[in-house]
């Protein structure tokens, strides 16, 4: 978006009656610094106007560590897009119980921040929520660039990650765990899951929390979500163990649904990809 677009939309707004109401805010996009905006090229559906308003349409899912909201980013009377806003909790309710296993090998440069994280102070919890949001944003950006089927990451702002909404209307796409599919559809879904795990592995990663709950199925297309804990298979001491767990989680679901798959064979293949052999 050029500066003149910005000025134009602001001047249009100043002649209109649009002001944010309840459950609304000015689009946060204009205030996001470039490195915290999604990778280019920006998708054609993005709304980047400074005259846009974000409207909260409701909660898609309330979780232990984060809540996911449906928002609409729209220029009144013109373009609009629905987005998912994942807001990490910075309070006691968020314990990030497995965090040390995932973050081994990652470092916080500022020692005050490391101490706050260890002590779980209020500042530490807020910091940790922000770190998880930015970790998920970075992972989505990298995975999107690698061609993995993930929601496009629009922006991150402190504890809020805004991404492409996978769904229709106000309904999020169903999780793999809750779909009904015939044998041919299941075989196709399995191939898609293996293909996305290969993309992760070729770049040295495994999801780290892969399960039928973190795979959405949108019109037959598998989209993988919930990637803040993405694991570097080679440098993380639990890397191989986490590849095995991811493979077992998905294989056992597909096996229960009648798809033949061998988790050990998949583990071997993914580890070979990750180690580049
Ligand atoms: N981009 C998205 N589009 C649609 N629904 C989403 C999206 N991201 C998350 N959701 C919904 O929110 C739920 C929780 O999101 P997830 O990232 O798995 O967080 P967590 O499991 O940590 O609470 C998902 O199962 C899905 O229903
Ligand atoms: Mg999840």
């Amino acid at each position: 978006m050029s500066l003149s677009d910005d000025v134009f939309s602001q001047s249009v707004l100043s002649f209109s009656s649009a002001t944010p109401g309840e459950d609304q805010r000015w689009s946060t996009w204009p205030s996001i610094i470039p490195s915290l905006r999604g990778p280019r090229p920006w998708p054609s559906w993005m709304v980047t106007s400074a005259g846009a308003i974000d409207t909260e349409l409701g909660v898609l899912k309330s979780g232990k560590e984060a809540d996911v909201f449906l928002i609409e980013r729209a220029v009144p009377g013109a373009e609009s897009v629905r987005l998912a806003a994942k807001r990490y909790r910075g309070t006691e309710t968020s314990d990030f119980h497995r965090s040390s296993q995932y973050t081994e090998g990652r470092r916080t440069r500022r020692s005050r921040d490391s101490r706050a994280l260890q002590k779980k102070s209020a500042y530490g919890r807020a910091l940790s929520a922000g770190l998880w949001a930015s970790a998920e944003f970075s992972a989505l950006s990298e995975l999107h660039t690698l061609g993995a089927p993930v929601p496009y990451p629009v922006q991150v702002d402190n504890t809020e990650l805004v991404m492409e909404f996978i769904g229709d209307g106000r309904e999020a796409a169903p999780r793999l765990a809750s779909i009904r599919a015939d044998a041919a559809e299941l075989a196709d879904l399995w191939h898609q899951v293996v293909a996305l795990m290969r993309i992760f592995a070729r770049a040295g990663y495994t999801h780290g929390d892969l399960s039928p709950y973190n795979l959405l199925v949108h019109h037959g297309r598998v989209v993988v979500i919930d990637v803040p804990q993405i694991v570097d298979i080679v440098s993380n001491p639990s890397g191989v163990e986490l590849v095995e767990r991811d493979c077992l989680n998905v294989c056992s679901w597909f096996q229960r649904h009648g798809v033949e798959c061998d988790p050990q064979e998949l583990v071997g293949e993914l580890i070979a990809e990750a180690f580049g052999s």
Side-chain angles (χ1 to χ4, degrees):
M1 181 181 58
S2 68
L3 182 63
S4 58
D5 286 342
D6 245 342
V7 171
F8 176 73
S9 50
Q10 273 168 347
S11 62
V12 166
L13 199 79
S14 64
F15 290 114
S16 77
S17 58
T19 45
E22 217 177 294
D23 296 329
Q24 290 187 319
R25 66 183 184 195
W26 288 110
S27 166
T28 46
W29 174 264
S31 65
I32 304 290
I33 60 168
S35 61
L36 301 181
R37 291 174 170 177
R40 288 183 184 260
W42 291 335
S44 56
W45 48 257
M46 288 256 287
V47 173
T48 56
S49 168
I53 287 177
D54 291 344
T55 303
E56 208 160 282
L57 300 179
V59 180
L60 290 170
K61 170 123 192 307
S62 198
K64 201 149 68 78
E65 293 160 0
D67 301 308
V68 183
F69 293 80
L70 178 63
I71 63 172
E72 184 162 69
R73 177 163 287 176
V75 178
E79 50 178 350
S80 78
V81 64
R82 291 200 171 169
L83 300 166
K86 183 170 181 180
R87 297 180 188 150
Y88 280 87
R89 301 241 181 96
T91 65
E92 295 82 350
T93 51
S94 171
D95 60 3
F96 293 98
H97 51 289
R98 289 173 307 195
S99 57
S100 64
Q101 189 183 17
Y102 292 119
T103 52
E104 269 173 283
R106 291 187 199 170
R107 296 256 177 282
T108 315
R109 258 183 238 120
R110 294 164 54 192
S111 60
R112 176 177 176 233
D113 290 351
S114 308
R115 282 197 303 276
L117 284 170
Q118 276 157 15
K119 283 201 304 208
K120 296 194 181 349
S121 63
Y123 170 69
R125 284 191 302 270
L127 185 70
S128 142
L131 288 177
W132 282 99
S134 69
E136 181 154 27
F137 175 78
S138 305
L140 285 175
S141 300
E142 188 175 350
L143 292 165
H144 169 82
T145 305
L146 290 167
V150 291
Y152 175 81
V154 173
Q155 61 178 66
V156 66
D157 185 12
N158 291 309
T159 56
E160 182 190 69
L161 163 67
V162 176
M163 63 188 138
E164 178 183 3
F165 169 59
I166 309 298
D168 298 295
R170 290 178 184 235
E171 291 280 315
R175 300 173 192 108
L176 178 63
S178 66
I179 65 146
R180 278 166 183 278
D182 64 26
E185 288 162 342
L186 283 164
D188 179 59
L189 294 170
W190 168 244
H191 283 123
Q192 291 187 56
V193 171
V194 172
L196 73 87
M197 292 179 86
R198 282 202 192 109
I199 298 177
F200 276 63
R202 212 163 294 148
Y205 298 121
T206 193
H207 182 286
D209 191 19
L210 195 62
S211 76
Y213 295 94
N214 286 331
L215 292 162
L216 304 183
V217 182
H218 192 219
H219 303 294
R221 179 174 173 260
V222 175
V223 178
V224 59
I225 58 164
D226 208 1
V227 296
Q229 72 290 305
I230 187 176
V231 169
D232 187 318
I233 300 173
V234 180
S235 75
N236 187 306
S238 312
V240 171
E241 197 186 306
L242 291 165
V243 178
E244 285 171 348
R245 198 177 68 188
D246 282 350
C247 289
L248 268 178
N249 282 347
V250 287
C251 272
S252 54
W253 187 88
F254 277 101
Q255 280 169 344
R256 279 203 306 280
H257 290 78
V259 177
E260 262 182 51
C261 51
D262 177 349
Q264 281 319 316
E265 195 182 306
L266 184 59
V267 169
E269 192 203 320
L270 296 178
I271 288 175
E273 289 273 14
F275 284 84
S277 56

